[in-house]
Amino acid sequence: MALVFRVHWSIRLGLAQAAEPLRKGPLLIQDQDLFLLVHPGAEVRKHPDEEQQATKIQAWWRGTLVRRTLLHAALRAAIIQRWWKQVLVRLLAERRRAVLESYTKQTWAAVRLQSWVRMWRIRQRYIRLLHAARIIQVYWRWHNCHTCGFLRGRYKLAANQLGLELEIFLGSQICRITECIPFPIKN
């Protein structure tokens, strides 16, 4: 029958301690090919080279754990940095789009304002030209009325005659002609 103990080795203190022994009394510890019978709390001495080898193994294992922890931390940091860079790129793209929209709105507003000003100036020039043309036309018509005459007339049609009234204006002179022209009667 084998005795089962949970044994905790403390290399630093050089003590073998049994935690929760199944039986009270001395502990049975296997060290390589040797079996040792040790009382709880008793001091167990190992050979110096075995202690150095155990220290090296423990240091290697602790180093492996630390490197694994650092690797996991570095991977997590890389994931967070990659996510943050994506967030920054998205924010930069949104800012660029907002600046571009603002610039296009300002440009279109300036173009629209310039076109309105150009249209207003051209309309003002057109109105001045129309006014000048009207002045020229008025003077020309007044001049033509004094140098040339014009004719105005009316007629009355009766059953057997045609009545004409003509007025001829020559400058300041007026000539009025009134005539009645009889129709020939056919039998």
Side-chain angles (χ1 to χ4, degrees):
M1 179 174 147
L3 296 175
V4 179
F5 292 95
R6 280 196 233 158
V7 178
H8 173 70
W9 289 87
S10 178
I11 300 297
R12 216 176 298 147
L13 298 174
L15 297 174
Q17 298 174 349
E20 301 178 20
L22 297 179
R23 259 200 258 179
K24 294 196 177 198
L27 303 173
L28 181 66
I29 301 173
Q30 179 181 1
D31 186 20
Q32 293 179 355
D33 294 334
L34 300 172
F35 288 94
L36 298 174
L37 189 61
V38 180
H39 291 286
E43 199 172 301
V44 177
R45 299 260 178 199
K46 289 188 173 184
H47 297 295
D49 59 337
E50 288 179 0
E51 197 169 310
Q52 287 177 355
Q53 289 175 354
T55 304
K56 284 182 183 179
I57 291 171
Q58 288 176 353
W60 172 80
W61 181 247
R62 285 191 202 110
T64 303
L65 290 177
V66 168
R67 281 189 295 276
R68 184 184 302 162
T69 305
L70 289 176
L71 177 66
H72 287 296
L75 289 175
R76 290 181 183 125
I79 289 170
I80 292 170
Q81 288 172 352
R82 199 174 312 127
W83 170 80
W84 183 244
K85 284 180 184 177
Q86 289 174 351
V87 168
L88 288 179
V89 166
R90 190 173 354 128
L91 288 175
L92 182 63
E94 288 175 4
R95 284 187 199 143
R96 283 182 182 167
R97 186 180 44 78
V99 167
L100 184 61
E101 285 178 2
S102 171
Y103 175 74
T104 54
K105 284 180 182 178
Q106 289 175 357
T107 304
W108 275 107
V111 167
R112 192 175 297 133
L113 185 62
Q114 289 171 354
S115 69
W116 286 345
V117 168
R118 277 191 225 108
M119 181 183 67
W120 179 77
R121 290 179 66 198
I122 289 172
R123 189 168 186 276
Q124 292 299 318
R125 185 173 177 205
Y126 177 71
I127 288 171
R128 277 191 311 233
L129 288 174
L130 278 181
H131 184 67
R134 285 184 186 134
I135 290 173
I136 292 171
Q137 286 173 355
V138 165
Y139 281 112
W140 181 255
R141 287 179 184 147
W142 181 81
H143 178 70
N144 277 346
C145 285
H146 290 291
T147 58
C148 299
F150 67 92
L151 184 68
R152 186 169 64 181
R154 288 180 286 196
Y155 67 91
K156 292 180 185 176
L157 187 61
N160 57 1
Q161 67 179 359
L162 172 67
L164 286 176
E165 287 184 23
L166 293 175
E167 294 177 350
I168 300 171
F169 296 95
L170 295 171
S172 61
Q173 299 174 358
I174 301 174
C175 179
R176 289 191 179 142
I177 301 172
T178 306
E179 268 192 52
C180 289
I181 302 170
F183 293 133
I185 299 175
K186 293 185 182 182
N187 291 335

